[in-house]
Amino acid sequence: MLDIQSLYKLLSSHMGSQHWWPAESKIEVILGAILVQNTNWRNAAYALEQLKVKTEFDPEQILNLNLESLQMIIKSSGFYKNKAKTILNILAWLKRFDFDYQAVRSYYQLQLRNALLEIKGIGSETADVCLVYVFEAVVFIPDSYTRRIFKKLGYTNTESYEKLKRHIELPETFTNADANEFHALLDNFGKNYFNEKNENKYTFLDPYFEN
């Protein structure tokens, strides 16, 4: 079984830098992380484009939208009624800190994940994405692709997000950049590997996969 460090090196050597998260600002990361919930990135990206046209991703402009208007702007992402509420909830929370992400991190410190999870509409994966890509923390993001990869590698406790997260520790040497890249590598490998067109193609991880 590959350990985390070896898996990271293997993925990186074969796939190169992934340049994630695909966003130009931290507010765009937050919006994208919410909009991509339960949909594909294409649908989320279209909703992001519409939101950028209407608000330029200015959080104050988004907060000034009424709920129905925001819902229509992001409709392509699916579950748009709940997602609009979540966006307004987290932006209102950030506004308390004048959208100063370092101030948020300093205030909550080790309780930041719990604080994010207390925001209505923010689940475990979205919270962890924000921790890594917005607040520059070092955490493991066991999304669905990652859990499938780890299962094939012979890891146990892959049945749920929180269960695998509790049983995986990133190496102490990992930086935020490493956590960022590791998640991106796993996610992009998963998208390519667990694809009907590629399911029978040999990959560099095949020798490590258990039948």
Side-chain angles (χ1 to χ4, degrees), residues 137-152:
V138 181
V139 300
F140 180 53
I141 307 174
D143 65 4
S144 59
Y145 283 129
T146 296
R147 296 198 304 277
R148 292 169 73 181
I149 293 168
F150 272 60
K151 183 177 181 179
K152 289 188 72 67

Side-chain angles (χ1 to χ4, degrees), residues 8-162:
Y8 177 41
K9 288 181 178 179
L10 190 60
L11 289 165
S12 183
S13 65
H14 282 270
M15 298 173 61
S17 179
Q18 302 300 293
H19 306 290
W20 263 34
W21 186 276
E24 296 180 357
S25 65
K26 291 187 174 183
I27 197 70
E28 186 179 352
V29 173
I30 293 170
L31 295 170
I34 294 168
L35 292 171
V36 80
Q37 293 174 359
N38 301 306
T39 191
N40 59 53
W41 183 251
R42 182 184 301 174
N43 293 337
Y46 184 75
L48 276 173
E49 289 174 11
Q50 298 306 304
L51 199 52
K52 184 176 183 180
V53 169
K54 297 291 185 181
T55 68
E56 298 181 342
F57 295 142
D58 180 342
E60 293 287 2
Q61 287 192 48
I62 297 173
L63 283 170
N64 286 334
L65 292 169
N66 62 53
L67 180 60
E68 291 74 18
S69 295
L70 180 56
Q71 288 172 346
M72 291 301 100
I73 293 171
I74 65 168
K75 191 172 183 178
S76 68
S77 68
F79 302 96
Y80 58 93
K81 292 184 178 180
N82 287 335
K83 290 179 181 180
K85 293 176 183 178
T86 301
I87 288 171
L88 295 178
N89 288 340
I90 195 168
L91 292 185
W93 177 73
L94 288 168
K95 187 176 181 178
R96 291 162 42 199
F97 298 88
D98 296 320
F99 303 99
D100 183 334
Y101 303 103
Q102 184 57 49
V104 174
R105 184 176 180 179
S106 297
Y107 181 83
Y108 287 106
Q109 299 186 36
L110 295 178
Q111 296 304 311
L112 181 52
R113 187 175 194 262
N114 290 335
L116 286 165
L117 291 173
E118 288 177 0
I119 299 170
K120 191 171 182 180
I122 299 296
S124 295
E125 185 175 339
T126 305
D128 288 336
V129 165
C130 288
L131 285 173
V132 173
Y133 294 95
V134 176
F135 297 105
E136 301 177 359
V138 181
V139 300
F140 180 53
I141 307 174
D143 65 4
S144 59
Y145 283 129
T146 296
R147 296 198 304 277
R148 292 169 73 181
I149 293 168
F150 272 60
K151 183 177 181 179
K152 289 188 72 67
L153 287 170
Y155 283 83
T156 58
N157 303 297
T158 59
E159 299 88 354
S160 70
Y161 189 99
E162 291 293 346

